[in-house]
Amino acid sequence: MRGAETGFHPGDRAVLGRPGIAALLQGLREEGYRLIGPTLRGGAIVYDEIQGAEELPAGWTEQQEAGRYRLSRRADEALFGYAVGPRSLKHLLFVPRLRLVQLRRRGGSISRTDEAEAPPRLAVLGARACDLAAVDVQDRVFVDGAHPDPDYVARRRSLFVIAVQCGQAGGTCFCASMRTGPRAERGFDLALTELLDGGHRFFVEVGSDAGASLLARVGAPRAGEDDARAAFEVSRRTATQMGRKLETDGIQELFYRNLEHPRWDDVAERCLGCTNCTLACPTCFCSTVEDVTDVAADAGPSVDMGRDSAYAGPSVDMGRDSAYAGPSVDMGRDSAYAGPSVDMGRDSAYAGPSETAERFRRWDSCFSIDHSYLHGGSVRASRRARYRQWLTHKLATWIDQFGTSGCVGCGRCITWCPVGIDITEEAAAIRAADGAVRAGEGRRG
């Protein structure tokens, strides 16, 4: 049902009580959507599949600093009283591991299976302004280019988004510097602002016909001017709470003329090359292709991670109180891992003797030495060169490629860096000593 048939239209405003959130989610389930929303997993607030409003992180918030993340209780029962967790929306659209093709030989015949099934219909609740800005950036990479990515395009078209306007900034947030938040202006079907003064309620903005239809189904009344003023005041106040700031004037030229700055050596001594920053980043899109063959079919089935089993975040868990929703290195005795489980996948069933060859696309990182490998060696053999490539691309050359910065100011790369490297600090250090050169200028990393 389109907005013209419901009484609501894009640009309209309504108000919902707390039970209205459950009604929105129920309406989406009835329309066949799988629900993705913020929930507590392993000591962090992450986007994950939920069944209803009872799984939202009511009364929880988090404290973030460089290399540090900790949950804490709020003094109220706000549903969205936090900034951002380790996961963005990236893993829902640009999935971490995607099977591109499977070839199977059985007897004298060879069959080919392409990954062409329709993706699941997902409805995301809780998307923040920085996350929507990141989706817009990735759209330029995967949709607007000369060769659109069919899997990304299909997932993007079927996505329903309920944004939440930030009511507080995190300790590593700097979206105001990047002009990507804290208020989302577009990219959503509905946008909620949680209001706690004068009764727990939600100011709702309609962003699409699909959003208008859903809002009409739950019987939402229109918002008054008092609620509108209160909602915009929440956004104004949040914009003054940023934990970080990045000076963006002339930032492209700043990085272009400082490729031999001594700060690159300094940061290289601290960087572990763990790839956390790129995995947590909502816009990084490096990938690689891997081929997998199975000629020992009589041994039984092989494990297929599946198109939707995606790993959703960085690889290092940073300490006893930190919790991160991603695998593989546990840095402390009490830290909780809340990463993915193995999905055997729909094509992994053993069906008798056969030989298979599969090609997968999976996330990669420019911090991996193999990422820039050409015949004879890696183009960026040092950690210094790899960090310089990442930060210069993110804040400078990305603008040349896609017409926008590759950074949306979410602060995830700062929070989830195990040694607390802060890109706003690194950029400020280069700006403070603009034009400095390292000893032995001319040496390339």
Side-chain angles (χ1 to χ4, degrees):
M1 186 182 297
R2 295 182 63 82
E5 302 168 349
T6 66
F8 283 110
H9 305 84
D12 285 347
R13 300 165 177 176
V15 65
L16 287 173
R18 180 165 170 169
I21 302 302
L24 287 177
L25 296 182
Q26 181 60 31
L28 289 166
R29 287 177 62 85
E30 291 172 356
E31 292 183 18
Y33 285 98
R34 284 170 50 187
L35 304 179
I36 306 294
T39 190
L40 296 174
R41 293 284 189 273
I45 299 173
V46 300
Y47 291 123
D48 207 343
E49 187 163 2
I50 60 175
Q51 300 304 311
E54 67 279 0
E55 296 183 61
L56 298 175
W60 286 96
T61 189
E62 84 296 71
Q63 301 168 11
Q64 298 191 44
E65 267 304 330
R68 183 174 178 271
Y69 179 99
R70 178 179 296 176
L71 289 178
S72 62
R73 292 291 303 186
R74 293 175 57 94
D76 54 42
E77 288 299 306
L79 298 182
F80 306 104
Y82 61 94
V84 295
R87 293 178 180 172
S88 64
L89 305 185
K90 179 170 71 172
H91 71 286
L92 303 175
L93 300 173
F94 172 46
V95 296
R97 193 169 190 259
L98 175 70
R99 196 186 70 186
L100 303 176
V101 66
Q102 180 191 73
L103 300 177
R104 176 170 289 176
R105 182 172 66 184
R106 180 170 294 173
S109 65
I110 296 178
S111 61
R112 170 176 174 151
T113 301
D114 292 310
E115 200 72 22
E117 290 188 10
R121 298 180 74 203
L122 300 180
V124 175
L125 169 66
R128 303 304 177 129
C130 59
D131 289 331
L132 296 182
V135 170
D136 183 67
V137 170
Q138 291 221 312
D139 284 351
R140 300 181 188 218
V141 178
F142 293 114
V143 179
D144 299 337
H147 305 285
D149 182 276
D151 187 76
Y152 181 97
V153 169
R155 293 171 186 272
R156 183 75 173 91
R157 286 175 177 168
S158 65
L159 188 68
F160 189 99
V161 176
I162 302 179
V164 170
Q165 310 290 15
C166 289
Q168 67 180 58
T172 57
C173 291
F174 57 102
C175 63
S177 295
M178 307 310 296
R179 299 175 180 84
T180 58
R183 182 171 186 79
E185 301 290 348
R186 59 191 178 90
F188 53 80
D189 296 288
L190 295 172
L192 311 178
T193 304
E194 188 166 20
L195 303 175
L196 299 170
D197 295 334
H200 196 174
R201 64 204 187 281
F202 298 86
F203 177 75
V204 187
E205 299 166 83
V206 180
S208 72
D209 287 329
S213 177
L214 178 64
L215 196 58
R217 286 185 61 186
V218 303
R222 294 184 181 274
E225 287 303 314
D226 288 345
D227 285 332
R229 281 192 293 269
F232 284 94
E233 174 59 22
V234 167
S235 296
R236 187 205 63 77
R237 184 177 65 243
T238 303
T240 68
Q241 299 172 350
M242 297 289 127
R244 296 291 193 277
K245 180 180 180 180
L246 179 65
E247 176 58 61
T248 59
D249 289 346
I251 198 165
Q252 277 182 280
E253 293 74 17
L254 175 71
F255 278 91
Y256 291 156
R257 63 177 176 262
N258 283 285
L259 296 177
E260 296 300 330
H261 199 284
R263 187 70 180 190
W264 302 122
D265 294 297
D266 179 86
V267 71
E269 292 180 358
R270 292 174 280 134
C271 177
L272 302 178
C274 69
T275 77
N276 256 25
C277 52
T278 56
L279 295 175
C281 176
T283 64
C284 280
F285 60 91
C286 288
S287 65
T288 188
V289 171
E290 63 181 12
D291 293 331
V292 179
T293 58
D294 175 14
V295 295
D298 287 329
S302 58
V303 174
D304 176 5
M305 295 298 290
R307 62 185 277 176
D308 295 310
S309 62
Y311 160 48
S315 60
V316 176
D317 179 28
M318 290 167 347
R320 54 184 292 175
D321 297 307
S322 65
Y324 163 18
S328 64
V329 178
D330 183 271
M331 301 293 288
R333 62 181 182 276
D334 296 316
S335 60
Y337 165 48
S341 58
V342 173
D343 175 6
M344 292 298 289
R346 61 180 181 280
D347 296 310
S348 63
Y350 182 56
S354 65
E355 297 175 351
T356 62
E358 296 175 300
R359 173 161 290 180
F360 293 90
R361 183 188 71 192
R362 63 170 175 81
W363 286 2
D364 199 5
S365 171
C366 57
F367 280 89
S368 164
I369 193 169
D370 291 334
H371 182 72
S372 66
Y373 182 86
L374 300 176
H375 179 68
S378 175
V379 173
R380 290 181 286 274
S382 70
R383 197 166 293 159
R384 170 187 182 273
R386 294 194 291 276
Y387 189 90
R388 181 182 63 185
Q389 155 66 21
W390 174 71
L391 191 56
T392 301
H393 187 208
K394 186 67 58 180
L395 297 179
T397 58
W398 203 300
I399 300 172
D400 292 328
Q401 282 184 284
F402 304 112
T404 185
S405 174
C407 178
V408 295
C410 69
R412 289 183 175 97
C413 63
I414 304 172
T415 298
W416 298 102
C417 174
V419 295
I421 295 174
D422 181 339
I423 69 168
T424 66
E425 179 183 326
E426 300 309 315
I430 290 173
R431 189 181 291 275
D434 188 4
V437 295
R438 63 193 297 224
E441 180 187 4
R443 286 194 294 120
R444 298 282 175 175

